[in-house]
Amino acid sequence: MARYKNETALKTLGLRIKAYRIKAKLEILDLVVMTGFSYNTISDIENGSETTISYFIGVCFALGIHPKEMMDIEFDVKSKNPLTPDRLEKSRLTQRIRDLIQSGYFNDPRSTNEVTKNLKEIHKLDFESKNVSVILTRFATTNILNVTMKGNRKIYINKSVKTY
Protein backbone atom coordinates (compact mmCIF):
# COMPACT_ATOMS: atom_id res chain seq x y z
CA MET A 1 0.00 0.00 0.00
CA ALA A 2 1.31 3.44 -0.90
CA ARG A 3 2.15 5.79 1.93
CA TYR A 4 -0.56 8.37 2.58
CA LYS A 5 0.34 12.04 2.33
CA ASN A 6 -2.07 14.96 2.35
CA GLU A 7 -0.02 17.48 0.38
CA THR A 8 -2.61 20.25 0.61
CA ALA A 9 -2.71 20.11 4.40
CA LEU A 10 1.09 19.87 4.71
CA LYS A 11 1.64 22.83 2.37
CA THR A 12 -0.96 24.90 4.20
CA LEU A 13 0.54 24.13 7.61
CA GLY A 14 4.05 24.79 6.33
CA LEU A 15 3.05 28.19 5.00
CA ARG A 16 1.35 29.06 8.30
CA ILE A 17 4.43 28.08 10.28
CA LYS A 18 6.64 30.14 7.98
CA ALA A 19 4.29 33.14 8.27
CA TYR A 20 4.31 32.93 12.08
CA ARG A 21 8.10 32.63 12.08
CA ILE A 22 8.50 35.69 9.84
CA LYS A 23 5.93 37.65 11.89
CA ALA A 24 7.99 36.83 15.00
CA LYS A 25 11.07 38.14 13.15
CA LEU A 26 12.81 34.80 13.49
CA GLU A 27 15.13 33.01 11.08
CA ILE A 28 15.08 29.27 10.50
CA LEU A 29 18.36 29.13 12.41
CA ASP A 30 16.59 30.67 15.41
CA LEU A 31 14.08 27.81 15.38
CA VAL A 32 16.97 25.35 15.06
CA VAL A 33 18.39 26.73 18.30
CA MET A 34 15.01 26.87 20.03
CA THR A 35 13.95 23.33 19.06
CA GLY A 36 17.20 21.44 18.65
CA PHE A 37 15.94 20.25 15.27
CA SER A 38 18.08 20.41 12.15
CA TYR A 39 17.87 23.27 9.66
CA ASN A 40 16.59 20.81 7.03
CA THR A 41 13.84 19.56 9.34
CA ILE A 42 12.49 23.09 9.90
CA SER A 43 12.87 23.99 6.23
CA ASP A 44 11.12 20.79 5.16
CA ILE A 45 8.20 21.49 7.50
CA GLU A 46 7.83 25.02 6.12
CA ASN A 47 7.95 23.66 2.57
CA GLY A 48 5.15 21.17 3.25
CA SER A 49 7.22 18.01 3.48
CA GLU A 50 6.11 15.10 5.60
CA THR A 51 6.90 15.48 9.30
CA THR A 52 6.11 13.87 12.61
CA ILE A 53 3.61 15.24 15.07
CA SER A 54 6.42 15.71 17.60
CA TYR A 55 8.38 17.97 15.23
CA PHE A 56 5.24 19.92 14.38
CA ILE A 57 4.43 20.42 18.07
CA GLY A 58 8.02 21.39 18.83
CA VAL A 59 8.03 24.10 16.17
CA CYS A 60 4.67 25.42 17.35
CA PHE A 61 5.90 25.61 20.94
CA ALA A 62 9.08 27.41 19.82
CA LEU A 63 6.87 29.96 18.04
CA GLY A 64 4.71 30.31 21.17
CA ILE A 65 1.63 28.99 19.41
CA HIS A 66 -0.60 26.17 20.55
CA PRO A 67 -0.71 23.44 17.85
CA LYS A 68 -4.53 23.56 17.77
CA GLU A 69 -4.33 27.25 16.85
CA MET A 70 -1.94 26.40 14.02
CA MET A 71 -4.36 23.70 12.86
CA ASP A 72 -7.33 26.09 12.79
CA ILE A 73 -7.63 25.84 9.01
CA GLU A 74 -10.66 25.21 6.83
CA PHE A 75 -10.38 21.75 5.28
CA ASP A 76 -12.80 19.55 3.43
CA VAL A 77 -13.03 16.95 6.18
CA LYS A 78 -13.65 13.48 4.82
CA SER A 79 -11.92 10.15 4.95
CA LYS A 80 -9.61 9.09 2.17
CA ASN A 81 -11.83 6.09 1.42
CA PRO A 82 -15.45 5.47 2.36
CA LEU A 83 -16.25 2.63 4.71
CA THR A 84 -17.52 -0.35 2.73
CA PRO A 85 -21.04 -1.52 3.58
CA ASP A 86 -19.59 -4.88 4.69
CA ARG A 87 -17.08 -3.24 7.07
CA LEU A 88 -19.74 -0.86 8.37
CA GLU A 89 -22.07 -3.75 9.14
CA LYS A 90 -19.30 -5.63 10.96
CA SER A 91 -18.65 -2.55 13.10
CA ARG A 92 -22.34 -2.29 13.87
CA LEU A 93 -22.45 -5.99 14.67
CA THR A 94 -19.65 -5.58 17.21
CA GLN A 95 -21.49 -2.70 18.87
CA ARG A 96 -24.74 -4.66 18.90
CA ILE A 97 -23.02 -7.58 20.63
CA ARG A 98 -21.42 -5.15 23.10
CA ASP A 99 -24.92 -3.79 23.80
CA LEU A 100 -26.17 -7.34 24.47
CA ILE A 101 -23.31 -7.88 26.93
CA GLN A 102 -24.11 -4.63 28.74
CA SER A 103 -27.83 -5.44 28.85
CA GLY A 104 -27.19 -8.68 30.74
CA TYR A 105 -28.07 -10.96 27.81
CA PHE A 106 -24.93 -13.01 28.49
CA ASN A 107 -25.75 -13.46 32.18
CA ASP A 108 -27.14 -16.76 30.90
CA PRO A 109 -24.94 -19.01 28.76
CA ARG A 110 -25.39 -18.36 25.03
CA SER A 111 -24.24 -20.17 21.90
CA THR A 112 -23.18 -18.42 18.72
CA ASN A 113 -26.37 -19.64 17.03
CA GLU A 114 -28.54 -18.16 19.80
CA VAL A 115 -26.80 -14.82 19.56
CA THR A 116 -27.04 -14.81 15.76
CA LYS A 117 -30.75 -15.65 15.87
CA ASN A 118 -31.38 -12.93 18.46
CA LEU A 119 -29.54 -10.28 16.44
CA LYS A 120 -31.30 -11.27 13.22
CA GLU A 121 -34.70 -11.04 14.89
CA ILE A 122 -34.02 -7.71 16.57
CA HIS A 123 -32.24 -5.96 13.71
CA LYS A 124 -33.80 -7.72 10.69
CA LEU A 125 -30.39 -8.24 9.09
CA ASP A 126 -28.85 -11.07 7.12
CA PHE A 127 -25.35 -12.08 8.20
CA GLU A 128 -23.50 -15.30 8.88
CA SER A 129 -22.98 -16.83 12.30
CA LYS A 130 -19.23 -17.03 11.58
CA ASN A 131 -19.14 -13.21 11.81
CA VAL A 132 -20.79 -13.39 15.23
CA SER A 133 -18.41 -16.16 16.30
CA VAL A 134 -15.34 -14.05 15.48
CA ILE A 135 -16.67 -11.14 17.53
CA LEU A 136 -17.66 -13.36 20.49
CA THR A 137 -14.19 -14.93 20.45
CA ARG A 138 -12.64 -11.46 20.53
CA PHE A 139 -14.76 -10.58 23.58
CA ALA A 140 -13.65 -13.84 25.19
CA THR A 141 -9.95 -13.17 24.54
CA THR A 142 -10.29 -9.69 26.05
CA ASN A 143 -11.79 -11.19 29.22
CA ILE A 144 -15.26 -9.73 28.78
CA LEU A 145 -16.91 -13.09 28.17
CA ASN A 146 -16.01 -16.57 29.39
CA VAL A 147 -16.13 -19.34 26.85
CA THR A 148 -16.69 -23.02 27.60
CA MET A 149 -17.39 -26.02 25.42
CA LYS A 150 -20.69 -27.88 25.47
CA GLY A 151 -20.09 -30.83 23.22
CA ASN A 152 -18.59 -29.32 20.09
CA ARG A 153 -20.23 -25.90 20.59
CA LYS A 154 -18.76 -22.86 22.28
CA ILE A 155 -20.90 -21.31 24.99
CA TYR A 156 -20.37 -17.72 26.08
CA ILE A 157 -21.27 -16.15 29.41
CA ASN A 158 -20.57 -12.78 30.96
CA LYS A 159 -17.22 -12.80 32.78
CA SER A 160 -18.79 -11.24 35.87
CA VAL A 161 -21.35 -14.06 36.28
CA LYS A 162 -20.32 -16.74 38.77
CA THR A 163 -20.65 -20.27 37.42
CA TYR A 164 -20.75 -23.27 39.74
Side-chain angles (χ1 to χ4, degrees):
M1 177 165 64
R3 189 171 174 168
Y4 175 72
K5 181 177 177 178
N6 187 322
E7 291 185 23
T8 303
L10 291 171
K11 290 277 186 203
T12 302
L13 288 172
L15 290 172
R16 287 195 79 175
I17 288 171
K18 185 175 184 175
Y20 274 93
R21 177 180 59 75
I22 291 169
K23 183 178 177 184
K25 297 182 178 20
L26 296 171
E27 297 293 325
I28 290 178
L29 286 173
D30 298 324
L31 287 181
V32 168
V33 171
M34 296 168 79
T35 62
F37 305 155
S38 73
Y39 184 96
N40 286 341
T41 297
I42 308 270
S43 177
D44 286 348
I45 292 170
E46 287 188 358
N47 289 317
S49 294
E50 192 67 58
T51 190
T52 67
I53 292 174
S54 294
Y55 284 135
F56 171 73
I57 292 170
V59 171
C60 289
F61 287 174
L63 291 169
I65 299 165
H66 196 286
K68 72 179 181 182
E69 184 180 333
M70 188 65 73
M71 296 287 294
D72 190 17
I73 302 169
E74 290 294 322
F75 288 114
D76 183 19
V77 179
K78 63 180 182 178
S79 65
K80 181 180 172 189
N81 300 307
L83 201 56
T84 64
D86 183 53
R87 180 64 247 159
L88 180 61
E89 192 49 48
K90 286 179 182 173
S91 293
R92 287 183 180 154
L93 190 55
T94 299
Q95 185 55 51
R96 288 173 177 148
I97 292 172
R98 184 176 287 113
D99 291 344
L100 286 176
I101 293 168
Q102 291 172 349
S103 75
Y105 178 78
F106 285 93
N107 290 347
D108 295 317
R110 305 291 181 174
S111 69
T112 300
N113 287 339
E114 287 178 274
V115 177
T116 302
K117 183 179 176 187
N118 178 295
L119 290 167
K120 284 183 176 185
E121 287 175 3
I122 293 171
H123 299 289
K124 310 291 187 245
L125 298 171
D126 186 30
F127 52 86
E128 298 180 44
S129 65
K130 69 179 182 181
N131 295 335
V132 173
S133 180
V134 168
I135 296 166
L136 290 173
T137 300
R138 191 175 333 124
F139 281 119
T141 59
T142 56
N143 292 321
I144 295 170
L145 294 175
N146 278 330
V147 60
T148 59
M149 295 300 288
K150 187 174 183 180
N152 63 349
R153 296 171 56 195
K154 290 181 180 179
I155 303 296
Y156 300 90
I157 190 164
N158 196 323
K159 184 81 170 176
S160 63
V161 173
K162 302 276 189 237
T163 55
Y164 300 97

